[in-house]
Amino acid sequence: MAVARYRKRMSRSDPRLYLEVPDVTFTEGLELPLPAGQAHYLGNVMRQAVGDAVRVFNATDGEWAATIQTLRKDRGTIVLGVMERPPQPTDGVELLFAPLKRDATELVIRMGTELGVTAFRPVITERTNTHRLNLDRLALIASEAAEQCERLDIPMIHPPEPLKTVLSTWPDDKPLFAALERRPGEDGPLKAAALLIGPEGGFSDTEVLLLQRHPAVHALTLGPLVLRAETAVCAGLSRLALRRGA
């Protein structure tokens, strides 16, 4: 199961692994156990050996150089060296999206993690075709993407909720930009807290009215063409990133 998390994700010379040990603070010289999936990956996939260098990271402790101390089958330990990067939260937005088919949803999680999404909130809309998600698998994909793109934190993935439920509790002062097809977007200095991407086929008329009436929701245009939902995620996150940098 967890072995898939570490498949073909890092360079042979410098493996980078997400490692969090409850109630343990990283310090130089500390010896830490490796989860079975990581030990298997290092020894059997990456062909690493005792004495080889790795990097480990998490949101609380930052990123550390480490050395493999023991490694056998699905067991192993590492010894921490020096801290290479202190903890630093990702500067991004939450992503609300209607679940898609499995491959497309996994692509959304991977791209979103690489583009700085801080949390994923699947929302069920009137035109959502997929209501079931394998949250454990999606969490592994987010972890893989974080290992690859060198961010220090792993975005949270919430269980699916109806869009109406999410909007009913959404704070009025938390700007939510919604990609609404063929509707003009808003310009200005407002910094987004979240992005909402609808299902294939778009939002229903009822949902559009619901969004337009919510004080926190702002329209975001993604251009004149109709995009696939997963493409809209990438385009929308890029647009908001440009706004943050403006």
Side-chain angles (χ1 to χ4, degrees):
M1 55 175 189
V3 173
R5 167 178 170 179
Y6 308 102
R7 190 180 302 150
K8 297 180 182 177
R9 293 297 167 197
M10 296 161 288
S11 75
R12 167 69 197 275
S13 61
D14 192 17
R16 184 175 188 267
L17 305 172
Y18 175 75
L19 181 63
E20 188 170 21
V21 182
D23 302 320
V24 172
T25 300
F26 285 11
T27 57
E28 188 172 351
L30 180 66
E31 184 173 345
L32 296 172
L34 289 171
Q38 289 178 332
H40 174 90
Y41 174 81
L42 289 175
N44 295 285
V45 179
M46 299 296 285
R47 301 298 182 186
Q48 299 289 295
V50 171
D52 285 345
V54 297
R55 288 182 292 158
V56 295
F57 72 97
N58 64 56
T60 302
D61 298 291
E63 183 162 343
W64 291 70
T67 303
I68 299 174
Q69 181 78 358
T70 64
L71 191 60
R72 215 168 87 182
K73 293 186 179 179
D74 59 354
R75 291 181 294 171
T77 59
I78 60 169
V79 174
L80 296 180
V82 298
M83 178 189 287
E84 296 186 341
R85 285 197 291 163
Q88 181 179 8
T90 299
D91 179 21
V93 298
E94 294 183 37
L95 176 63
L96 286 65
F97 71 100
L100 306 166
K101 294 180 180 179
R102 190 188 73 174
D103 289 349
T105 294
E106 292 179 359
L107 181 60
V108 165
I109 299 299
R110 187 173 305 284
M111 289 193 307
T113 300
E114 294 175 358
L115 290 171
V117 169
T118 57
F120 294 93
R121 298 177 64 113
V123 293
I124 306 302
T125 68
E126 292 183 18
R127 294 173 179 165
T128 298
N129 293 323
T130 302
H131 292 225
R132 297 178 62 183
L133 295 176
N134 186 336
L135 296 181
D136 289 339
R137 175 171 173 78
L138 296 181
L140 292 179
I141 290 171
S143 181
E144 288 180 346
E147 290 172 342
Q148 185 175 28
C149 73
E150 299 199 350
R151 65 184 283 177
L152 294 176
D153 52 359
I154 308 295
M156 179 180 295
I157 302 177
H158 294 272
E161 289 185 283
L163 177 61
K164 291 182 180 179
T165 301
V166 173
L167 291 177
S168 69
T169 59
W170 193 267
D172 292 351
D173 60 352
K174 186 177 180 180
L176 169 61
F177 279 73
L180 301 176
E181 291 179 354
R182 299 187 178 90
R183 290 175 174 82
E186 299 181 19
D187 293 319
L190 189 65
K191 183 176 179 179
L195 170 67
L196 170 62
I197 300 294
E200 298 288 357
F203 296 106
S204 69
D205 292 339
T206 301
E207 289 167 339
V208 170
L209 287 175
L210 185 65
L211 290 167
Q212 291 175 331
R213 290 171 179 168
H214 197 294
V217 175
H218 305 267
L220 179 70
T221 180
L222 300 181
L225 301 179
V226 177
L227 306 178
R228 292 180 64 89
E230 58 268 37
T231 307
V233 166
C234 187
L237 290 173
S238 299
R239 289 288 307 267
L240 295 185
L242 290 174
R243 291 176 64 100
R244 290 199 305 276

